[in-house]
Amino acid sequence: MKSSNELRTMLRSIDHRSYPAYKSLAGQWQFDRYVLSIDHVQGDPFASPSSLHVELAHKVDGFPAVYYKEDCSRIALQDYLTRRLAEQFERYNFKAKGSGKSGLMSISRCGQEILERSACEITETKLIVRFHVGFPAFGRSVNAGDMEKILFDFLPRCVEFGLLYARQDKKKVEETVHLAEDQEALRGILAKEGLVAFVANGAVLPRKSGISDLPMAGSVPFTSPKTLERTFTLPHKGEITGMAVARGITLIVGGGYHGKSTLLEAIQSGVYNHIAGDGREFVLTDDTAVKLRAEDGRSVRDVDISLFINDLPNGKDTKVFSTEDASGSTSQAA
């Protein structure tokens, strides 16, 4: 494996050459704390940015092994590190100048859900983080000076402050792992108790807007009806009380703007764990659940819907019902 000094020398040697000269940098390079792999080099500054990844041995990243021993905590820690590195990239994004996507530094954008992503992977021996960089250009020529800033100044700082345990808020890391373990424990309780969903008292279900998944400020916290209220004990949080939904058919009714859809959407998203501060941290649903909804306008052929709909104004037979444009209720009945 070649050293970072060799990378610097090679980079300087291609300065102002045609942009495809960047492809000569592909490969693995040993830096002080990590191995940098340049996996794919974009062919043009206006093309999709180049793909890179870094690998850190666990003795370097310093995270306690207990934090990634179980799948639930490992995935939560990976999610945390992806967000941390994204924050660091934002500080240096496009600080290297040039044409097209020159200077872009990015990693997978995380939503409110905690998901296993290819962007960050923790194995038994190392931490692997994958991201994208827009290699700087003068028009369509190599801008080695700004590329050197990215590889030897910006990226090492991002790795240090985004991926090293010594630079993290240790209490926040611990809380992230403990939340994941509590969520996993609660999912186990639901399965054991024959429940399909749980909505904790105090949960914030409404979202900021129709295009934002952030919690709505000033919304009314959820309170379970007493008939469905259950209390469970979690390993870190302790006792938690909320609405438990049993297997079978549960009907949710209410007037307009009473929160029926909001509750259903929260339960729907409960197949995923959510980050601290989302408001739905303990809104959990059986992770095999799927959403079914009535579909306006679909074709229905030869279906018996007489149990739900009959005596149609046009006298149409609902025991062998067909239509090319079903209404919502007809579609649901079918």
Side-chain angles (χ1 to χ4, degrees), residues 103-171:
L104 179 145
M105 299 181 73
S106 69
I107 192 169
S108 293
R109 185 180 296 275
C110 301
Q112 297 297 98
E113 300 85 6
I114 298 172
L115 303 173
E116 186 160 23
R117 303 176 177 89
S118 59
C120 183
E121 179 184 358
I122 299 175
T123 71
E124 291 184 0
T125 59
K126 59 189 174 183
L127 167 64
I128 305 169
V129 182
R130 302 175 178 91
F131 53 94
H132 295 97
V133 173
F135 286 12
F138 299 113
R140 282 185 166 82
S141 299
V142 171
N143 179 352
D146 277 16
M147 185 62 182
E148 189 171 334
K149 288 181 184 178
I150 292 175
L151 296 182
F152 293 92
D153 185 7
F154 302 163
L155 183 58
R157 292 184 195 177
C158 291
V159 169
E160 178 180 352
F161 289 95
L163 302 179
L164 299 188
Y165 182 60
R167 291 292 192 173
Q168 307 305 313
D169 180 336
K170 295 178 178 58
K171 182 173 177 59

Coordinates of all heavy atoms in Angstrom, one line a residue, residues 103-171:
G103 N -15.2 20.5 -5.0 CA -15.2 20.8 -3.6 C -16.3 20.2 -2.8 O -16.4 20.4 -1.6
L104 N -17.2 19.5 -3.5 CA -18.4 18.9 -2.8 C -17.8 17.8 -1.8 O -17.0 17.0 -2.3 CB -19.4 18.4 -3.8 CG -20.6 17.6 -3.2 CD1 -21.8 17.9 -4.1 CD2 -20.4 16.1 -3.1
M105 N -18.3 17.8 -0.6 CA -18.0 16.7 0.3 C -19.4 16.2 0.9 O -20.1 17.0 1.6 CB -17.1 17.1 1.4 CG -15.7 17.6 0.9 SD -14.6 18.1 2.2 CE -14.1 16.5 2.9
S106 N -19.7 15.0 0.7 CA -21.1 14.6 1.1 C -21.1 13.1 1.5 O -20.2 12.3 1.1 CB -22.1 14.8 0.0 OG -21.9 13.9 -1.1
I107 N -22.1 12.8 2.3 CA -22.3 11.4 2.7 C -23.8 11.2 2.8 O -24.6 12.2 2.7 CB -21.7 11.1 4.1 CG1 -21.7 9.6 4.4 CG2 -22.4 11.9 5.2 CD1 -20.8 9.3 5.7
S108 N -24.3 10.0 2.8 CA -25.8 9.7 2.8 C -26.5 10.6 3.8 O -26.1 10.8 5.0 CB -26.0 8.3 3.2 OG -25.6 7.4 2.2
R109 N -27.6 11.2 3.3 CA -28.4 12.1 4.2 C -29.3 11.3 5.0 O -30.1 10.5 4.5 CB -29.2 13.1 3.3 CG -29.9 14.2 4.1 CD -30.7 15.1 3.2 NE -29.8 15.8 2.3 CZ -29.2 17.0 2.7 NH1 -29.4 17.5 3.9 NH2 -28.4 17.6 1.9
C110 N -29.3 11.5 6.3 CA -30.1 10.7 7.2 C -31.4 11.4 7.6 O -31.4 12.7 7.7 CB -29.4 10.4 8.5 SG -27.8 9.5 8.3
G111 N -32.5 10.7 7.7 CA -33.7 11.2 8.1 C -33.9 11.0 9.6 O -33.0 11.0 10.3
Q112 N -35.2 10.9 10.0 CA -35.4 10.7 11.5 C -35.3 9.2 11.9 O -35.2 8.9 13.1 CB -36.9 11.2 11.8 CG -37.1 12.7 11.5 CD -36.2 13.6 12.4 OE1 -35.2 14.0 12.0 NE2 -36.7 13.7 13.7
E113 N -35.3 8.4 10.9 CA -35.2 6.9 11.2 C -33.7 6.5 11.4 O -32.8 7.1 10.8 CB -35.8 6.1 10.1 CG -37.3 6.4 9.8 CD -37.5 7.5 8.9 OE1 -36.5 8.1 8.3 OE2 -38.7 7.9 8.7
I114 N -33.6 5.5 12.2 CA -32.3 4.9 12.4 C -32.2 3.6 11.5 O -32.9 2.6 11.8 CB -32.0 4.5 13.9 CG1 -32.1 5.7 14.8 CG2 -30.7 3.7 14.1 CD1 -32.0 5.4 16.3
L115 N -31.4 3.7 10.5 CA -31.4 2.6 9.5 C -29.9 2.1 9.3 O -29.0 2.8 9.5 CB -31.9 3.1 8.1 CG -33.3 3.7 8.1 CD1 -33.6 4.3 6.7 CD2 -34.3 2.7 8.5
E116 N -29.8 0.9 8.9 CA -28.5 0.4 8.5 C -28.2 0.8 7.1 O -29.0 0.5 6.1 CB -28.5 -1.2 8.6 CG -27.1 -1.7 8.4 CD -26.9 -3.1 8.9 OE1 -27.9 -3.8 9.1 OE2 -25.8 -3.5 9.2
R117 N -27.2 1.6 6.9 CA -26.8 2.1 5.6 C -25.4 1.7 5.2 O -24.6 1.4 6.0 CB -26.8 3.7 5.7 CG -28.2 4.3 6.1 CD -28.0 5.8 6.3 NE -29.3 6.4 6.6 CZ -29.7 6.6 7.9 NH1 -29.0 6.2 8.9 NH2 -30.9 7.1 8.1
S118 N -25.2 1.6 3.9 CA -23.9 1.3 3.4 C -22.8 2.3 3.7 O -21.6 2.1 3.5 CB -23.9 0.9 1.9 OG -24.4 2.1 1.2
A119 N -23.3 3.6 4.0 CA -22.4 4.7 4.2 C -21.4 4.4 5.4 O -20.3 4.9 5.4 CB -23.1 6.0 4.5
C120 N -21.9 3.7 6.4 CA -21.1 3.4 7.6 C -21.2 2.0 8.0 O -22.3 1.5 8.1 CB -21.5 4.4 8.7 SG -20.4 4.2 10.2
E121 N -20.1 1.3 8.2 CA -20.1 -0.1 8.5 C -19.1 -0.4 9.6 O -17.9 0.0 9.5 CB -19.8 -0.9 7.3 CG -19.7 -2.4 7.5 CD -19.3 -3.2 6.3 OE1 -19.1 -2.5 5.2 OE2 -19.2 -4.4 6.3
I122 N -19.6 -1.0 10.7 CA -18.7 -1.4 11.8 C -18.5 -2.9 11.8 O -19.5 -3.6 11.9 CB -19.2 -0.9 13.1 CG1 -19.3 0.6 13.2 CG2 -18.3 -1.4 14.3 CD1 -20.0 1.1 14.4
T123 N -17.3 -3.4 11.5 CA -17.0 -4.8 11.6 C -16.3 -5.1 12.9 O -16.2 -4.3 13.7 CB -16.1 -5.2 10.4 OG1 -14.8 -4.7 10.6 CG2 -16.7 -4.6 9.1
E124 N -15.9 -6.4 13.0 CA -15.3 -6.8 14.3 C -13.9 -6.1 14.4 O -13.4 -6.0 15.5 CB -15.1 -8.3 14.3 CG -16.4 -9.1 14.4 CD -16.1 -10.6 14.5 OE1 -15.0 -11.0 14.5 OE2 -17.1 -11.3 14.6
T125 N -13.3 -5.7 13.3 CA -11.9 -5.2 13.4 C -11.8 -3.7 13.0 O -10.8 -3.1 13.4 CB -11.0 -6.0 12.4 OG1 -11.5 -5.9 11.1 CG2 -11.0 -7.5 12.9
K126 N -12.8 -3.2 12.3 CA -12.6 -1.8 11.8 C -13.9 -1.1 11.6 O -15.0 -1.6 11.5 CB -11.7 -1.8 10.5 CG -12.3 -2.6 9.4 CD -11.3 -2.7 8.2 CE -11.8 -3.6 7.1 NZ -10.9 -3.8 6.1
L127 N -13.7 0.2 11.4 CA -14.8 1.1 11.0 C -14.6 1.6 9.5 O -13.5 2.0 9.2 CB -14.8 2.3 11.9 CG -15.7 3.6 11.5 CD1 -17.2 3.2 11.5 CD2 -15.4 4.7 12.5
I128 N -15.6 1.4 8.7 CA -15.5 1.8 7.3 C -16.6 2.8 7.0 O -17.8 2.6 7.3 CB -15.8 0.6 6.4 CG1 -14.8 -0.6 6.7 CG2 -15.6 1.0 4.9 CD1 -15.1 -1.9 6.1
V129 N -16.2 3.9 6.4 CA -17.2 5.0 6.1 C -17.0 5.4 4.6 O -15.9 5.7 4.2 CB -16.9 6.2 7.0 CG1 -18.0 7.3 6.7 CG2 -17.0 5.9 8.5
R130 N -18.1 5.4 3.9 CA -18.1 5.7 2.5 C -18.8 7.0 2.2 O -19.8 7.3 2.8 CB -18.8 4.6 1.7 CG -18.2 3.2 2.0 CD -19.0 2.1 1.3 NE -18.4 0.8 1.5 CZ -18.7 0.0 2.5 NH1 -19.6 0.4 3.4 NH2 -18.1 -1.2 2.7
F131 N -18.2 7.8 1.3 CA -18.7 9.2 1.0 C -18.3 9.6 -0.4 O -17.7 8.8 -1.1 CB -18.1 10.1 2.1 CG -16.6 10.1 2.2 CD1 -15.8 11.0 1.5 CD2 -16.0 9.2 3.1 CE1 -14.4 10.9 1.6 CE2 -14.6 9.1 3.2 CZ -13.8 10.0 2.5
H132 N -18.6 10.8 -0.7 CA -18.4 11.3 -2.0 C -17.7 12.7 -2.0 O -17.9 13.5 -1.1 CB -19.7 11.5 -2.8 CG -20.4 10.2 -3.1 ND1 -21.4 9.8 -2.3 CD2 -20.2 9.3 -4.1 CE1 -21.8 8.6 -2.8 NE2 -21.1 8.3 -3.8
V133 N -16.8 12.9 -2.9 CA -16.0 14.2 -3.0 C -16.0 14.6 -4.5 O -15.8 13.8 -5.4 CB -14.6 14.0 -2.5 CG1 -13.8 15.2 -2.8 CG2 -14.6 13.7 -1.0
G134 N -16.3 15.9 -4.7 CA -16.2 16.4 -6.0 C -14.7 16.9 -6.2 O -14.3 17.9 -5.6
F135 N -14.0 16.2 -7.1 CA -12.6 16.6 -7.3 C -12.5 18.0 -8.0 O -13.1 18.2 -9.0 CB -11.9 15.5 -8.1 CG -11.6 14.2 -7.4 CD1 -12.2 14.0 -6.1 CD2 -10.7 13.3 -7.9 CE1 -11.9 12.8 -5.4 CE2 -10.5 12.1 -7.2 CZ -11.0 11.9 -6.0
P136 N -11.7 18.9 -7.4 CA -11.7 20.3 -7.9 C -11.1 20.4 -9.3 O -10.2 19.6 -9.7 CB -10.8 21.0 -6.9 CG -10.9 20.2 -5.7 CD -11.0 18.8 -6.2
A137 N -11.6 21.4 -10.1 CA -11.1 21.6 -11.5 C -11.0 23.0 -11.8 O -11.8 23.9 -11.3 CB -12.0 20.8 -12.4
F138 N -10.0 23.3 -12.7 CA -10.0 24.6 -13.4 C -10.7 24.3 -14.8 O -10.1 23.8 -15.7 CB -8.6 25.1 -13.7 CG -7.8 25.3 -12.4 CD1 -6.7 24.5 -12.1 CD2 -8.1 26.4 -11.6 CE1 -5.9 24.8 -11.0 CE2 -7.3 26.6 -10.5 CZ -6.2 25.8 -10.2
G139 N -11.9 24.7 -14.9 CA -12.6 24.3 -16.1 C -12.7 22.8 -16.2 O -13.5 22.2 -15.4
R140 N -11.9 22.2 -17.1 CA -11.8 20.7 -17.1 C -10.4 20.2 -16.9 O -10.0 19.2 -17.5 CB -12.5 20.2 -18.4 CG -14.0 20.2 -18.4 CD -14.6 19.6 -19.7 NE -16.0 19.3 -19.5 CZ -17.0 20.1 -19.6 NH1 -16.7 21.4 -19.9 NH2 -18.2 19.8 -19.5
S141 N -9.7 21.0 -16.1 CA -8.3 20.6 -15.8 C -8.1 20.4 -14.3 O -8.9 20.9 -13.5 CB -7.3 21.7 -16.2 OG -7.4 22.0 -17.6
V142 N -7.2 19.6 -13.9 CA -6.9 19.2 -12.5 C -6.5 20.5 -11.7 O -5.6 21.2 -12.1 CB -5.8 18.2 -12.4 CG1 -5.4 17.9 -11.0 CG2 -6.3 16.8 -13.1
N143 N -7.2 20.6 -10.6 CA -6.9 21.7 -9.6 C -6.2 21.0 -8.4 O -6.9 20.7 -7.4 CB -8.1 22.5 -9.2 CG -7.9 23.6 -8.2 OD1 -6.8 23.7 -7.7 ND2 -8.9 24.4 -7.9
A144 N -5.0 20.7 -8.5 CA -4.3 19.9 -7.5 C -4.2 20.6 -6.2 O -4.2 20.0 -5.1 CB -2.9 19.5 -8.0
G145 N -4.1 22.0 -6.2 CA -3.9 22.7 -5.0 C -5.1 22.6 -4.1 O -5.0 22.3 -2.9
D146 N -6.3 22.7 -4.6 CA -7.5 22.6 -3.8 C -7.8 21.1 -3.5 O -8.4 20.8 -2.4 CB -8.7 23.2 -4.5 CG -8.8 24.7 -4.3 OD1 -7.8 25.3 -3.9 OD2 -9.9 25.3 -4.6
M147 N -7.4 20.2 -4.4 CA -7.6 18.8 -4.0 C -6.7 18.4 -2.9 O -7.1 17.6 -2.0 CB -7.3 17.9 -5.3 CG -7.5 16.4 -5.1 SD -9.3 16.1 -4.8 CE -9.2 14.3 -4.6
E148 N -5.5 19.0 -2.8 CA -4.6 18.7 -1.7 C -5.2 19.2 -0.4 O -5.1 18.6 0.7 CB -3.3 19.4 -2.0 CG -2.2 19.0 -1.0 CD -0.8 19.5 -1.4 OE1 -0.6 19.7 -2.6 OE2 0.0 19.7 -0.4
K149 N -5.9 20.4 -0.4 CA -6.6 20.9 0.8 C -7.6 19.8 1.3 O -7.8 19.6 2.5 CB -7.3 22.2 0.5 CG -6.4 23.4 0.3 CD -7.2 24.6 0.0 CE -6.3 25.8 -0.3 NZ -7.1 27.0 -0.6
I150 N -8.4 19.3 0.3 CA -9.4 18.3 0.7 C -8.8 17.1 1.4 O -9.3 16.7 2.4 CB -10.3 17.9 -0.5 CG1 -11.1 19.1 -1.0 CG2 -11.2 16.7 -0.2 CD1 -11.9 18.8 -2.3
L151 N -7.8 16.5 0.7 CA -7.3 15.2 1.2 C -6.4 15.3 2.4 O -6.3 14.4 3.2 CB -6.5 14.5 0.0 CG -7.4 14.1 -1.2 CD1 -6.5 13.5 -2.2 CD2 -8.5 13.2 -0.8
F152 N -5.7 16.5 2.5 CA -4.7 16.6 3.6 C -5.0 17.6 4.7 O -4.3 17.7 5.6 CB -3.3 16.9 2.9 CG -2.8 15.8 2.1 CD1 -3.0 15.8 0.7 CD2 -2.0 14.8 2.6 CE1 -2.6 14.7 -0.1 CE2 -1.5 13.7 1.9 CZ -1.8 13.7 0.5
D153 N -6.1 18.3 4.5 CA -6.5 19.3 5.5 C -7.9 19.0 5.9 O -8.2 18.7 7.1 CB -6.4 20.7 4.9 CG -6.7 21.8 6.0 OD1 -6.8 21.4 7.2 OD2 -6.7 23.0 5.6
F154 N -8.9 19.1 5.0 CA -10.3 19.0 5.4 C -10.7 17.6 5.8 O -11.3 17.4 6.9 CB -11.2 19.4 4.2 CG -11.0 20.8 3.6 CD1 -11.5 21.1 2.4 CD2 -10.3 21.7 4.4 CE1 -11.3 22.4 1.9 CE2 -10.1 23.0 3.9 CZ -10.6 23.3 2.6
L155 N -10.3 16.6 5.0 CA -10.7 15.2 5.4 C -10.1 14.7 6.7 O -10.9 14.2 7.5 CB -10.4 14.3 4.2 CG -10.8 12.8 4.4 CD1 -12.3 12.7 4.6 CD2 -10.4 12.0 3.2
P156 N -8.8 14.9 7.0 CA -8.3 14.5 8.3 C -9.0 15.1 9.5 O -9.3 14.5 10.5 CB -6.8 14.9 8.2 CG -6.5 14.9 6.8 CD -7.7 15.4 6.1
R157 N -9.4 16.4 9.3 CA -10.2 17.1 10.4 C -11.6 16.4 10.5 O -12.1 16.2 11.7 CB -10.3 18.6 10.1 CG -9.0 19.3 10.2 CD -9.3 20.8 10.0 NE -8.0 21.6 9.7 CZ -8.0 22.9 9.4 NH1 -9.1 23.6 9.5 NH2 -6.9 23.5 9.2
C158 N -12.2 16.2 9.4 CA -13.5 15.6 9.5 C -13.5 14.2 10.1 O -14.4 13.8 10.9 CB -14.1 15.5 8.0 SG -14.5 17.0 7.3
V159 N -12.5 13.4 9.8 CA -12.3 12.1 10.4 C -12.1 12.2 11.9 O -12.7 11.5 12.7 CB -11.2 11.3 9.7 CG1 -10.8 10.0 10.5 CG2 -11.5 11.0 8.2
E160 N -11.2 13.1 12.3 CA -10.9 13.3 13.7 C -12.1 13.7 14.5 O -12.4 13.0 15.5 CB -9.8 14.3 13.9 CG -9.5 14.6 15.3 CD -8.4 15.7 15.5 OE1 -7.8 16.1 14.5 OE2 -8.2 16.1 16.7
F161 N -12.8 14.7 14.1 CA -14.0 15.2 14.9 C -15.3 14.4 14.6 O -16.2 14.5 15.4 CB -14.2 16.7 14.6 CG -13.1 17.5 15.2 CD1 -12.0 17.9 14.4 CD2 -13.1 17.9 16.5 CE1 -11.0 18.7 14.9 CE2 -12.1 18.7 17.0 CZ -11.0 19.1 16.2
G162 N -15.3 13.7 13.5 CA -16.5 12.9 13.2 C -16.5 11.5 13.6 O -17.6 10.9 13.9
L163 N -15.3 10.9 13.6 CA -15.2 9.4 13.8 C -14.4 8.9 14.9 O -14.4 7.7 15.2 CB -14.7 8.8 12.5 CG -15.4 9.1 11.2 CD1 -14.7 8.5 10.0 CD2 -16.9 8.7 11.3
L164 N -13.7 9.8 15.6 CA -12.9 9.3 16.8 C -13.7 9.5 18.1 O -14.2 10.6 18.3 CB -11.6 10.1 16.8 CG -10.6 10.0 15.6 CD1 -9.3 10.6 16.0 CD2 -10.4 8.5 15.2
Y165 N -13.7 8.5 18.9 CA -14.5 8.5 20.1 C -14.0 9.6 21.1 O -14.8 10.2 21.8 CB -14.3 7.1 20.8 CG -15.1 7.0 22.1 CD1 -16.5 7.1 22.1 CD2 -14.5 6.7 23.3 CE1 -17.2 7.0 23.3 CE2 -15.2 6.5 24.5 CZ -16.6 6.7 24.5 OH -17.3 6.6 25.6
A166 N -12.7 9.8 21.0 CA -12.1 10.8 21.9 C -12.7 12.2 21.7 O -12.6 13.1 22.5 CB -10.6 10.9 21.8
R167 N -13.2 12.5 20.4 CA -13.7 13.8 20.1 C -15.2 13.9 20.1 O -15.8 14.9 19.7 CB -13.3 14.1 18.6 CG -11.8 14.4 18.5 CD -11.4 15.6 19.2 NE -10.0 16.1 18.9 CZ -9.5 17.2 19.2 NH1 -10.2 18.0 20.0 NH2 -8.2 17.5 18.9
Q168 N -15.9 12.8 20.6 CA -17.3 12.8 20.7 C -17.8 13.2 22.1 O -17.1 13.2 23.1 CB -17.9 11.4 20.3 CG -17.4 10.8 19.1 CD -17.6 11.7 17.9 OE1 -18.7 12.2 17.7 NE2 -16.6 11.9 17.0
D169 N -19.1 13.6 22.1 CA -19.8 13.8 23.4 C -20.1 12.4 23.9 O -21.0 11.8 23.4 CB -21.0 14.6 23.2 CG -21.8 14.9 24.4 OD1 -21.7 14.1 25.4 OD2 -22.6 15.8 24.5
K170 N -19.3 11.9 24.9 CA -19.4 10.5 25.3 C -20.8 10.2 25.9 O -21.3 9.1 25.7 CB -18.3 10.2 26.3 CG -16.9 10.3 25.6 CD -15.8 10.0 26.6 CE -14.5 10.0 25.9 NZ -14.2 11.3 25.2
K171 N -21.4 11.2 26.6 CA -22.7 11.0 27.1 C -23.8 10.8 26.0 O -24.6 9.9 26.1 CB -23.1 12.2 28.0 CG -24.5 12.0 28.7 CD -24.7 13.1 29.7 CE -26.1 13.0 30.3 NZ -26.3 11.7 31.0

